[in-house]
Each structure stands twice: as structure tokens, then as C-alpha cells.
Amino acid sequence: MACSQPYCLLLQVQLVRIQLRVPEYGWTTQKVFHLLNALVCSLRCGSFLFRGQMEQLHPDAVRLVLFDLPGLLFFTTYTLLVLFWAEIYHQARSMPTASLRPIFIAFNALVYACQGGLWAYESMADSEGAERVSHFMSAGFLAAVSLCAAVGFVLYGGRLFVMLQRFPIESRGRKKKLREVGMVTSICAACFSLRAIMVALSAVDAQDLDLDVMDHPMLNIIYYALVEIIPSAWVLYILRKLPPKRTNQGYQSIPTR
């Protein structure tokens, strides 16, 4: 997980560059997206570096929160991108957008509340059978959440892609956006689908497929590389374009040809 540290640093540098370009716009979606990615990367790196100490934490609820929180934040980070695309699509179709952000916030709040209840139940499990049930429920819930994210990307990424295809004006900017939306949709849908499958398998066969770094270090390296590090690095590379620079006359326009 040593590659996570320079990657996290790059995210912070990119966030600072965006802030220097548009300081007066506050926390835009692009800024929040980069901030959450940096936070996820930092927490995941910390969970690997201090895994031994975390295993000794009490009460158990604290340990469970620290283990699962990076995955939940990763979900929030990329559903924020789905929200951004949904707003663009609804605006382009002259559809109301006022309800989109409240739905996004309410859905994420529900996910965290449900997971909080599962953390509490798992920490109070006082028998081997209860521990197995709590592990199955928690893993099943995380798999369902990941599947919802994949569906969101297919739904709104696909709609935005089709809308751009039908857009009548031919330009380099349009073609670039088509590639951008198509690639990000494919990467994120595949990433969350794989995550859902792996977490579901770990729920069914906790002994051989438990996603625990101390028991299965190689499995964990491959797993987190495929479902977090590589997809997020790829997406952030695709979405690397900074806001236009300010000039004395205002902001430079983004070229479309």
C-alpha cells in the first residue's frame, strides 16, 4: 500500500491547484470530490499501516468503524459524481433538479445509519453464531450498497452518454466528453460491481474469502488495488482538467474545437 501515500499527496496538490484557480466559488463538486478521494486514501493507508494496533482497539464498535469507514466514504465520493451527472442530465432535459441533492443526502444518511446499526449489533455479538450472522448481514449490506452505486453509474452515465451522442453539434469538446463519460461510467460500474461480488462472496465463505489483510495479505492487495486505487486513479486522470484560468477580462473560455 506504499503507492497510496504519493497518490494521496497528488490528490491534495490537485485540490490546492483547483482552489487557486477558483477560490471565490467555495466548495464546488470538483473540490469536494478531490477532498473525499484524499480522505479515503488517507484512511485506507492508515488502516493498513496500523492494522495491528487497530485490532486491539476496544470497544469493538470503534475498530469496526475504522475498518469499514473508508469503503463507505468511497461510496459517498463516487455517488457524488453520479449526483453531478444527474443534475446535468436533468437540467439539459428541462427537468426539476431541486430534489436531487436532498435525495443524495438522505440516501447516504440512510446508508450510514444502517451501517451504524450493524456495527453496534456486531460489537455486541457474544457468541460465534451471532458473530457469523452479524458478519453476513454487514457484508451483505455493503454488497447491496456497492451494487446500488454501480446501477447509478449505468443509469445516469448511460443517459448522459446517449444524450451527448444525440447532440447535433460536432466538436472536439463533444467527442472528448463522450469518451470521458463513457470511460468513467465503465470504470466505476465495473469497480462497484466487482466490489459487490467480492464482498458478497466473503459473506458466504468468510473462512477462505474474508477480506482481512492480516489473514489474506495478497488477496487484500489485489482487492483494494482493483476496487479502489486503480479505478480512482484512472478516473481522476480522466477528470484531471482544471477550471479555466482567470484573466483581467475574466475567465478564459474552454476551447471546444
Side-chain angles (χ1 to χ4, degrees):
M1 289 291 124
C3 60
S4 296
Q5 297 172 359
Y7 174 55
C8 184
L9 180 61
L10 286 173
L11 285 169
Q12 295 172 29
V13 170
Q14 187 75 342
L15 177 60
V16 171
R17 292 178 68 198
I18 296 169
Q19 174 62 21
L20 292 175
R21 288 284 184 99
V22 285
E24 70 277 18
Y25 285 152
W27 283 100
T28 62
T29 300
Q30 188 181 28
K31 292 178 187 177
V32 175
F33 183 69
H34 280 77
L35 177 65
L36 288 175
N37 267 294
L39 181 60
V40 169
C41 189
S42 299
L43 289 174
R44 183 64 70 195
C45 187
S47 71
F48 274 81
L49 290 175
F50 303 106
R51 180 67 186 224
Q53 293 90 326
M54 289 168 65
E55 286 283 359
Q56 307 304 318
L57 288 174
H58 293 285
D60 288 343
V62 176
R63 175 175 55 83
L64 294 170
V65 169
L66 292 175
F67 286 160
D68 293 339
L69 187 58
L72 288 176
L73 286 175
F74 186 81
F75 165 80
T76 298
T77 302
Y78 284 86
T79 51
L80 181 64
L81 184 56
V82 174
L83 170 66
F84 180 63
W85 284 355
E87 289 178 332
I88 292 174
Y89 179 81
H90 280 239
Q91 288 171 358
R93 293 289 185 180
S94 300
M95 298 166 65
T97 61
S99 62
L100 293 177
R101 284 184 180 267
I103 290 173
F104 168 79
I105 294 170
F107 184 72
N108 273 269
L110 179 63
V111 167
Y112 283 84
C114 291
Q115 186 59 55
L118 290 170
W119 284 331
Y121 176 73
E122 193 168 353
S123 66
M124 292 186 294
D126 55 0
S127 66
E128 186 177 346
E131 287 181 1
R132 284 199 299 268
V133 171
S134 63
H135 174 77
F136 180 84
M137 291 173 62
S138 183
F141 177 73
L142 290 175
V145 165
S146 296
L147 189 59
C148 287
V151 170
F153 273 103
V154 172
L155 181 63
Y156 278 105
R159 285 179 174 180
L160 196 57
F161 185 84
V162 171
M163 186 182 72
L164 287 169
Q165 271 190 324
R166 293 174 178 174
F167 198 70
I169 301 174
E170 284 292 338
S171 67
R172 189 182 68 180
R174 172 183 171 275
K175 292 177 181 178
K176 184 178 179 181
K177 282 295 178 184
L178 268 173
R179 289 195 301 269
E180 180 182 295
V181 171
M183 290 182 68
V184 172
T185 298
S186 301
I187 293 166
C188 292
C191 156
F192 280 103
S193 296
L194 177 62
R195 192 186 197 104
I197 292 169
M198 289 297 296
V199 174
L201 288 174
S202 75
V204 174
D205 190 356
Q207 184 174 357
D208 294 328
L209 291 174
D210 186 15
L211 299 172
D212 186 296
V213 70
M214 295 189 73
D215 295 335
H216 301 281
M218 186 55 64
L219 175 62
N220 273 263
I221 290 171
I222 296 171
Y223 172 71
Y224 287 111
L226 290 176
V227 304
E228 281 188 13
I229 298 173
I230 294 175
S232 62
W234 198 352
V235 167
L236 287 165
Y237 176 76
I238 295 169
L239 304 177
R240 67 190 181 279
K241 189 174 183 65
L242 296 174
K245 291 182 179 179
R246 285 181 297 175
T247 64
N248 293 333
Q249 291 76 31
Y251 285 98
Q252 296 176 356
S253 61
I254 299 174
T256 57
R257 293 186 181 274

